[in-house]
Amino acid sequence: MALDRKRSVRDRGSVRSRGSSSASSSDPREKLKDCCRQFVAFMFTQVGVGALVVSYAIMGAFAFMAIEGESENSENNDHVAHLRSSCLSRLWNVTDHLNVLEERKWKLDVRQVLLDHQQAMALAIKGGYDGRSNQERWTFPSALMFSLSVFTMIGFGHLVPRTQWGKIATMLYAVFGIPVYVLYFMNMGQVLASCFKWFYRKLVRCADARKDKPLTDADPTATNGNKEIIGVNSAGAVDELSDDMDEESYSGLVIVPSTACLWVWLTYLAVGTIMFAEWENWEYLDACYFCVTSLCKIGMGDFVPGANLQASSNQTKLIINFVYLLVGMGIIAMCYNLMKEEILVRLQELKADLIERLQDVSGRMRR
Amino acid sequence: MAETRSHHHQQHQRSMSVRERDHHQVMHHHPRDHQQLRGGHRRGLDRGGYHPSGASLAPDTDSWWYKVKEFTRKLIAFLFGHVGICGLVVGYIIMGAFAFMAIESEDQKRQYADVERVREATIQNLWNITHELNVLYPNEWNESVSIEVQLFQQKIVQFVMEGYDGKNYVNQSLVASRSQITDGSGEPTPGDAATTTGAWSFSASFLYCLTVITTIGYGNIAPRTVMGKMVTIVYAMVGMPLFLLYVSNMGDFLATCFRWGYVNLCKCTCFSRPVHHAQRGSRRRISQRSAPANTVRPDLTSVQQQYDPVVSIHHRRIPGGPSDFDDVELHPVGGGGPYDVVSVHHHQQAVAAAGPAQPDYQTATVPITISLTVMVSYMVGGAVLFQQWETDWDYLDGSYFCFISLSTTGFGDLVPGDKINSSSGIELSLIFCSMYLIIGMALIAMCFNLMQEEVIAKVRKLGQSLGCIKPGEE
């Protein structure tokens, strides 16, 4: 349907352009046509990639639920039951063998028994025991979170595959998923970067337009962040006129300063912190720690929203976490995209500077 | 003094050409100029090989001493760049390890004390149960005791979830009292050996810091204190760009080394000899006859077309690194002397005429299969090594660990050295794991660097054929 609309617009546009003699009336229409076409193609690509990522995650969630959820974790539960019964029998032995119940000796032995039990339990828990069966653990939201953590390379680790097939499946899933994710990352980065640039330009122009009105009494001290680029000084009138004249050529040169990117990221971080702190009843520091470690793809796994509690009530929350993380990755990609050139240029300068200094030093040493 | 100077002067006059002698005589009478001349001998090069008086070495580019000096200068610059970054990264990690050790050990002692308190309480309860029953009926006793043990177990689960690692903080007085009362079962328990430092030992903190800045993030140990979490955030923000810098630098360097080694290796193997042989021959021909580039071009292109699928020659500029090796290499072929400069220029021209755009040092593109082989073999090697070190890992666990770590996912369920019974091997295996990861990241960056062009070209072709990407976009 969108294609039909596009074609009809194009046809109408072409007819109109054939009929009309003035270029100005077809120009906006041409622009609109172009805009529409570009928008559709671009949306198709971006939406396609986004849909691919989401569907890959969902598919992975179902696969892992099938592989890991169905498997009987009975051996671990059995093991723990066995541990407990052996502990009990040892305690009984200790108690039984002493003809006279002397407190200190008895306590010493019992302490040893409990110590062993405690360490064995800790080992078992690290091996995956947490009182729940596999099916309770691998619900759909948890599996979705797991798949997300695999291909975004965050790797929380609160839920991990324990079976052999699960591990092999994880590796294969990662091998195919990481390129998909990288594609998404680069795409989202470009999209968001261009959106942000456009938005920024609009903001700058708005600020310009507002300053155009009181031209004669241009305020030389009016500097907000936007004005860094335009460089309004006390002779403001001349600069602004020249800016308006070659606005088109100039707008291509608007470079978003790195501080703007940083502000966007910090705002997103703050939003996430507040959201998670409220929902999960975490401390603000803990929520901030979670947001930073997840968005930076570190993924400790000690805090995972909604993972500890049981199933259905947290489904919407987990979906929102999923979306938050994906969009957060996109914002990081955008910041990277926008700051990349600046960083590269600075790095080159640094390197050249360093090498020049070294050459100086070595030249001086040679003489 | 005057005799020696005149002696030198005579020697120089014999060795110099007429033009240069005139030059020299003009400059000779000012003793101050000698230093100028020596210092500015490079400027003298432009005037056509001027020899400063008294200097025994010729300052032209051909003398091997000059070459060695150039080489060492570039080596120092390169070392300063690359090794400096390595040292910076390792130093940053070590600093972070010390910081986290200091921050987290207090809290950890508190945690151990909590666990011990719970255990003592359980023991007291058990004693009370046992003491109250005058006659020991097993069933009754078992029931009450099992309830108590169940409670204890749940508390342990909770502790482990919160980050308790199962180790026992050895209470010195307890050990003394135990040694006094022996009843034959006096074998050393594994719990005793574990440590006053606990989970946040130096090597464990080292691994933790490494996982933070590489974004692996195992999570098998994680900071529990407020200070620890804040420091982690700041440490990550600063450390990640640093590590990215290290990885990209090392990746570039290793990639150029690999390419250079690959090109040299190709020259030795038989199936690509004709290509390089022809080029060598052409080089020799050029250097001896100074033939124009045109006569050489058809040979090169025909041979090159024949060998494109196997070894595709691209012409790119290699900053630093093996370009110097190439430099040093070309000279012996030409045989030294003034032909070298000419031969290099002609070679470059020929090569430029034969191949696409940029006229510079040639390099071969390493095929994708080789880079993939390197990556896979590194992972398999790591898997074998870890399987040997860790007692209860099989080959699948080892390769799973290597893959998950090197892809920076890092679940943390399998970490080498994450055992409760600490033996002397733990520290070593953690350090080894860290080294493996640091080197592995650089190797993977190298492989990506090598595969980059081909992969992008192939993906673009795929995208165009699928119609997703418009030609000219991306």
Side-chain angles (χ1 to χ4, degrees):
Chain A
M1 255 193 283
L3 291 170
D4 288 339
R5 188 160 24 104
K6 191 178 66 173
R7 228 176 281 132
S8 62
V9 164
R10 208 189 310 153
D11 290 339
R12 243 185 292 132
S14 56
V15 164
R16 199 62 77 87
S17 68
R18 260 186 267 125
S20 67
S21 52
S22 60
S24 57
S25 69
S26 63
D27 246 359
R29 202 162 278 280
E30 278 285 334
K31 268 192 205 164
L32 188 67
K33 254 176 12 192
D34 255 329
C35 230
C36 274
R37 201 181 317 146
Q38 274 181 16
F39 182 76
V40 168
F42 151 117
M43 210 42 206
F44 200 63
T45 319
Q46 311 315 325
V47 164
V49 172
L52 185 63
V53 164
V54 171
S55 59
Y56 192 72
I58 292 180
M59 188 191 80
F62 279 122
F64 283 114
M65 268 174 73
I67 297 177
E68 290 283 325
E70 302 303 317
S71 84
E72 294 299 315
N73 203 17
S74 54
E75 49 173 78
N76 223 352
N77 288 338
D78 282 347
H79 178 62
V80 168
H82 173 72
L83 279 179
R84 195 165 72 242
S85 63
S86 77
C87 173
L88 285 175
S89 66
R90 277 179 72 187
L91 284 174
W92 171 250
N93 286 342
V94 164
T95 317
D96 201 29
H97 283 174
L98 293 178
N99 290 324
V100 181
L101 267 185
E102 195 224 2
E103 184 172 345
R104 210 167 66 151
K105 172 90 173 58
W106 185 88
K107 275 193 177 170
L108 216 60
D109 292 338
V110 165
R111 183 175 291 122
Q112 189 52 52
V113 171
L114 280 185
L115 199 64
D116 292 342
H117 183 65
Q118 160 193 318
Q119 288 182 346
M121 277 300 300
L123 251 181
I125 295 169
K126 283 196 171 186
Y129 168 79
D130 61 351
R132 294 187 292 179
S133 75
N134 263 347
Q135 221 143 33
E136 286 169 16
R137 224 182 297 152
W138 286 88
T139 59
F140 179 73
S142 313
L144 194 63
M145 219 37 180
F146 173 74
S147 327
L148 181 74
S149 73
V150 169
F151 71 74
T152 55
M153 304 185 283
I154 299 180
F156 285 121
H158 66 294
L159 192 63
V160 278
R162 298 277 171 197
T163 60
Q164 294 221 340
W165 282 112
K167 290 178 180 169
I168 297 178
T170 307
M171 288 199 274
L172 285 174
Y173 189 74
V175 163
F176 289 113
I178 291 178
V180 168
Y181 169 71
V182 169
L183 191 67
Y184 162 82
F185 189 79
M186 298 207 290
N187 257 336
M188 271 303 261
Q190 279 178 358
V191 167
L192 285 178
S194 36
C195 282
F196 191 64
K197 274 192 205 159
W198 174 85
F199 181 70
Y200 195 77
R201 252 183 274 146
K202 274 275 151 48
L203 208 66
V204 158
R205 271 190 226 150
C206 267
D208 259 3
R210 255 187 291 124
K211 278 195 75 70
D212 270 346
K213 282 162 197 153
L215 249 189
T216 47
D217 50 347
D219 192 5
T221 61
T223 48
N224 44 0
N226 305 337
K227 292 303 172 191
E228 292 168 19
I229 307 161
I230 303 191
V232 170
N233 49 17
S234 51
V238 176
D239 280 331
E240 280 165 354
L241 273 179
S242 64
D243 280 339
D244 279 343
M245 277 193 315
D246 52 351
E247 187 191 57
E248 285 308 80
S249 61
Y250 192 78
S251 63
L253 293 175
V254 168
I255 304 173
V256 180
S258 310
T259 45
C261 307
L262 234 59
W263 277 118
V264 166
W265 195 63
L266 284 176
T267 316
Y268 195 73
L269 206 63
V271 164
T273 304
I274 295 174
M275 193 169 75
F276 288 120
E278 291 308 309
W279 281 356
E280 304 285 328
N281 283 326
W282 291 340
E283 302 279 332
Y284 281 104
L285 178 69
D286 290 343
C288 183
Y289 169 79
F290 164 73
C291 287
V292 170
T293 54
S294 305
L295 288 178
C296 294
K297 299 204 281 182
I298 300 177
M300 287 290 164
D302 47 353
F303 290 99
V304 181
N308 296 328
L309 310 178
Q310 273 87 18
S312 46
S313 62
N314 287 323
Q315 287 220 13
T316 46
K317 280 191 193 163
L318 270 167
I319 302 289
I320 295 186
N321 297 340
F322 182 79
V323 170
Y324 176 81
L325 283 176
L326 275 185
V327 173
M329 300 291 168
I331 290 192
I332 289 189
M334 172 188 93
C335 291
Y336 172 70
N337 209 317
L338 287 172
M339 298 205 284
K340 187 170 53 169
E341 298 120 14
E342 198 179 325
I343 289 181
L344 273 178
V345 164
R346 293 260 170 90
L347 269 181
Q348 299 276 8
E349 279 173 17
L350 255 178
K351 233 190 211 176
D353 199 29
L354 192 69
I355 292 190
E356 202 181 302
R357 292 241 178 95
L358 275 173
Q359 283 183 353
D360 256 347
V361 166
S362 64
R364 242 178 274 138
M365 280 194 322
R366 233 177 319 139
R367 283 197 223 119
Chain B
M1 190 63 89
E3 304 89 65
T4 49
R5 217 186 318 147
S6 62
H7 183 64
H8 280 299
H9 184 54
Q10 278 168 18
Q11 274 187 342
H12 267 286
Q13 284 192 323
R14 250 179 271 128
S15 61
M16 279 191 291
S17 64
V18 176
R19 182 172 62 92
E20 287 163 347
R21 204 184 303 144
D22 287 341
H23 225 83
H24 185 68
Q25 272 173 347
V26 166
M27 305 285 275
H28 176 63
H29 297 288
H30 299 271
R32 221 178 300 129
D33 286 349
H34 290 183
Q35 270 144 20
Q36 251 182 19
L37 296 171
R38 209 172 287 131
H41 70 272
R42 227 197 284 171
R43 264 177 286 134
L45 260 180
D46 299 336
R47 274 181 255 140
Y50 181 77
H51 302 266
S53 73
S56 50
L57 31 98
D60 51 333
T61 47
D62 300 331
S63 80
W64 71 273
W65 176 239
Y66 183 76
K67 272 186 238 167
V68 165
K69 280 202 291 190
E70 275 295 305
F71 180 73
T72 47
R73 189 177 63 86
K74 282 189 179 153
L75 187 71
I76 288 176
F78 147 82
L79 275 183
F80 213 70
H82 291 281
V83 172
I85 286 198
C86 281
L88 194 62
V89 165
V90 173
Y92 188 70
I93 299 180
I94 290 180
M95 189 187 78
F98 279 122
F100 280 109
M101 261 176 78
I103 294 174
E104 290 289 323
S105 54
E106 277 310 309
D107 177 79
Q108 198 177 36
K109 284 186 191 151
R110 196 173 51 79
Q111 195 182 27
Y112 286 158
D114 282 345
V115 171
E116 199 164 322
R117 206 177 324 126
V118 164
R119 195 169 62 233
E120 292 300 316
T122 310
I123 292 175
Q124 185 62 38
N125 291 343
L126 286 176
W127 170 252
N128 289 344
I129 291 172
T130 317
H131 196 58
E132 277 165 13
L133 299 176
N134 286 324
V135 185
L136 267 184
Y137 288 118
N139 293 338
E140 212 178 304
W141 186 87
N142 263 336
E143 261 179 49
S144 338
V145 165
S146 78
I147 294 174
E148 200 57 44
V149 169
Q150 184 82 359
L151 277 174
F152 176 67
Q153 191 170 298
Q154 280 172 4
K155 290 211 180 95
I156 293 290
V157 168
Q158 204 177 341
F159 274 126
V160 174
M161 293 299 202
E162 283 173 8
Y164 175 60
D165 61 344
K167 293 195 178 122
N168 183 35
Y169 179 48
V170 176
N171 197 345
Q172 294 301 323
S173 60
L174 199 62
V175 172
S177 61
R178 196 180 300 153
S179 64
Q180 282 170 12
I181 305 172
T182 54
D183 56 346
S185 62
E187 65 266 19
T189 54
D192 282 0
T195 108
T196 48
T197 50
W200 289 87
S201 62
F202 177 74
S203 41
S205 310
F206 189 88
L207 187 64
Y208 172 75
C209 293
L210 182 70
T211 59
V212 166
I213 65 176
T214 55
T215 77
I216 296 180
Y218 284 131
N220 59 336
I221 50 173
R224 290 174 15 108
T225 56
V226 166
M227 192 65 170
K229 288 176 186 166
M230 291 201 305
V231 170
T232 301
I233 291 176
V234 171
Y235 191 78
M237 299 288 216
V238 175
M240 282 182 349
L242 185 67
F243 193 76
L244 277 176
L245 191 69
Y246 157 81
V247 158
S248 68
N249 246 340
M250 285 304 280
D252 281 342
F253 164 65
L254 285 176
T256 40
C257 282
F258 196 80
R259 267 195 212 103
W260 175 76
Y262 181 73
V263 164
N264 281 340
L265 202 68
C266 274
K267 283 180 185 167
C268 298
T269 57
C270 50
F271 78 104
S272 58
R273 197 183 292 147
V275 174
H276 295 275
H277 191 66
Q279 286 174 349
R280 271 181 186 269
S282 70
R283 247 184 264 151
R284 222 172 278 127
R285 248 184 289 130
I286 294 171
S287 66
Q288 282 166 8
R289 277 188 273 134
S290 313
N294 301 337
T295 59
V296 179
R297 204 201 318 172
D299 289 43
L300 268 180
T301 46
S302 63
V303 169
Q304 205 176 28
Q305 276 163 10
Q306 193 185 1
Y307 275 89
D308 254 340
V310 175
V311 169
S312 57
I313 313 276
H314 286 207
H315 307 284
R316 281 190 325 168
R317 180 183 297 277
I318 316 172
S323 62
D324 308 315
F325 293 73
D326 268 335
D327 240 341
V328 173
E329 203 178 72
L330 281 174
H331 286 282
V333 171
Y339 287 113
D340 276 341
V341 179
V342 176
S343 75
V344 167
H345 283 314
H346 275 271
H347 176 66
Q348 283 176 357
Q349 277 176 27
V351 148
Q358 301 122 22
D360 227 321
Y361 301 107
Q362 65 174 17
T363 175
T365 304
V366 178
I368 292 189
T369 46
I370 293 194
S371 342
L372 281 178
T373 313
V374 167
M375 275 206 302
V376 170
S377 54
Y378 189 73
M379 270 188 220
V380 166
V384 166
L385 273 170
F386 284 118
Q387 190 265 339
Q388 296 294 328
W389 279 68
E390 297 293 314
T391 45
D392 55 346
W393 286 15
D394 54 356
Y395 285 109
L396 178 67
D397 282 338
S399 46
Y400 173 75
F401 165 75
C402 290
F403 179 80
I404 293 290
S405 306
L406 287 176
S407 68
T408 78
T409 305
F411 288 126
D413 51 346
L414 290 171
V415 180
D418 197 25
K419 288 284 171 295
I420 292 180
N421 312 325
S422 80
S423 49
S424 61
I426 275 197
E427 307 287 309
L428 269 178
S429 82
L430 284 175
I431 296 283
F432 177 72
C433 179
S434 318
M435 287 298 130
Y436 177 79
L437 288 175
I438 292 182
I439 296 176
M441 295 283 171
L443 265 181
I444 296 221
M446 171 191 95
C447 291
F448 277 129
N449 205 322
L450 291 173
M451 298 199 294
Q452 205 176 9
E453 298 169 351
E454 291 209 30
V455 166
I456 289 182
K458 286 202 175 130
V459 164
R460 193 173 290 148
K461 241 187 279 177
L462 188 69
Q464 281 173 9
S465 66
L466 282 181
C468 293
I469 308 172
K470 282 203 194 112
E473 236 181 62
E474 263 190 64

